[in-house]
Amino acid sequence: LEPSLSICCFRYFSPRIDDLNTFNQRIHRRLVRGNQYIPSTTKVDGVLAIRPCFVGARSVPGQDDGLVDEVLRLGDELVAELGA
């Protein structure tokens, strides 16, 4: 099937992090401060997820890969900061 939505919820996961909701919220705050990728967040069954939407005049090809790379970079950075 062809995709029918422009939204895909996901989150950073590490078995070393106990509270992934708070951890992903911290990643989201850093994304917003970086002002390059500004997704929203949502909760699905109490689980916080990063929620990008790739529709609009500012959307460009490759933006999805860039966002995922940035989430991974920020998540790895936060894990290192926490010494987890």
Side-chain angles (χ1 to χ4, degrees), residues 5-82:
L5 292 176
S6 59
I7 297 171
C8 177
C9 297
F10 70 99
R11 65 198 240 140
Y12 183 95
F13 174 81
S14 172
R16 297 185 288 178
I17 302 299
D18 293 327
D19 184 353
L20 286 168
N21 284 350
T22 299
F23 190 82
N24 277 274
Q25 186 66 53
R26 291 179 69 191
I27 291 172
H28 178 258
R29 286 187 191 127
R30 289 188 182 200
L31 285 169
V32 171
R33 274 187 259 147
N35 203 31
Q36 183 176 6
Y37 303 102
I38 307 178
S40 62
T41 59
T42 191
K43 282 195 173 179
V44 179
D45 294 328
V47 174
L48 185 125
I50 297 169
R51 183 184 176 272
C53 181
F54 298 106
V55 171
R58 295 184 208 165
S59 294
V60 295
Q63 190 173 14
D64 51 350
D65 290 331
L67 172 62
V68 170
D69 290 345
E70 186 66 0
V71 167
L72 291 172
R73 185 188 72 75
L74 290 170
D76 292 348
E77 185 178 277
L78 281 167
V79 166
E81 286 175 17
L82 295 172

